[in-house]
Amino acid sequence: ESGHGEGSRGSLIVLEGLDRSGKTSQSSRLVSFLEGRGVPVETWHFPDRRTSIGGMISSYLANNAQLDDRAIHLLFSANRWEKRSLMEAKLKSGTSLIVDRYSYSGVAFSAAKGLAIEWCKAPEEGLIAPDMVVYLDILPERAAERGGYGNERYEQLEFQRKVSDNYHDLSDSTWKIIDACLPEEDIQTQLRSLALECITGCRSGKPLST
Ligand code: T5A
Ligand code: NA
C-alpha cells in the first residue's frame, strides 16, 4: 500500500450508535476489508470486558451487580483510560484503530440517567481525540426490532430514546452519519470510503490530538 511512509501514523476511527445499530458487524467487516488492502489495522471495542474494570462493567450491564450511576460512569471512563497508552502507541506506530464505542457512548448513556452532560464529559478530557466519528443512525423503535434486544440493562426503548437525543446533542458537523437501516452492504460501502479517506489524511502528517 502506498503512502505508508516512515513516521506516518494510524487513524482513530470511532463508530457510535444505539444498541443494535450494527456497529460490531460493520466494524469487523471494515477491518477485514482494510487488512485485505494491506492497511495495518485493529478493531477495538469499549467497554473492553477483558480487563478487571471491564469485568465489573460487564456484571453491571448483565444486572448481576448494582452500582451508583456516577460510579459506573467513572468505570466506563477508566476502562478507556487504562487502554490510552496502548492506543497512542498503536496509532504512532502506524496502526489504524476502528473503535466500536468511545467517549460519546460514555456521555450519551450516563446523561440518559439524568446526570449533567458537563459532569459526564469531564473524565473523558485528555483521552485521544478521534480522527473521525461515524454515527450509525437508527430510530430507537427500529433498533428494538432487531435480534437479541432486551438482555442487558440499557436495552429498553424509553432509555434508548433518551440516548438517541443525547447523541443528537453531542454530534457536530464533522460527524459522518450513515443510515443504519440500509442494507448491510450499502452501509459497508459508505464506511469503507469514509475510512480510506480518513486514513489517507492522517498519513499525510495530521498530528494526534486530545
Ligand atoms: N456503554 C458503553 C455505556 O453506558 N458507557 C460507555 O462508556 C460505553 C463504552 C454495552 C452497553 O454499554 C453502554 C452502551 C451499551 O448499552 P456494547 O457491548 O457495545 O455496549 O453492546 P451493544 O452496542 O449493545 O452491542 P450490540 O451488539 O447490541 O449492537 P451493535 O454492535 O451496534 O450491533 P450488531 O452489529 O451486533 O448488530 C445487531 C443486530 O442487528 C442486525 C444484526 O444482524 C444483529 O442481529 N443488523 C441489521 N439488521 C438489518 N439491517 C442492518 N443494516 C443491520 N445491521 C445489523
Ligand atoms: Na456491539
Side-chain angles (χ1 to χ4, degrees), residues 51-127:
T51 70
S52 46
I53 293 170
M56 295 169 73
I57 293 171
S58 195
S59 308
Y60 172 83
L61 288 171
N63 288 303
N64 292 327
Q66 307 309 315
L67 283 168
D68 175 83
D69 290 346
R70 286 178 177 80
I72 183 64
H73 180 75
L74 295 172
L75 287 177
F76 273 115
S77 185
N79 187 229
R80 284 182 281 280
W81 276 101
E82 65 182 336
K83 303 301 290 289
R84 189 198 185 284
S85 60
L86 182 61
M87 179 180 267
E88 183 170 8
K90 294 273 180 191
L91 293 169
K92 284 185 169 165
S93 76
T95 299
S96 289
L97 303 177
I98 311 301
V99 180
D100 183 358
R101 294 195 183 283
Y102 199 52
S103 301
Y104 310 97
S105 287
V107 176
F109 282 77
S110 291
K113 299 169 176 173
L115 298 181
I117 290 264
E118 292 309 316
W119 189 91
C120 293
K121 282 181 177 174
E124 305 298 315
E125 248 167 64
L127 290 171

Side-chain angles (χ1 to χ4, degrees), residues 3 10 21 24 26 40 47 67 71 77 79-80 133 139 147-148 183 203-204 210:
S21 54
T24 300
Q26 291 295 334
L67 283 168
S77 185
N79 187 229
R80 284 182 281 280
V133 179
L139 285 173
R203 279 176 181 170
S204 64
T210 53

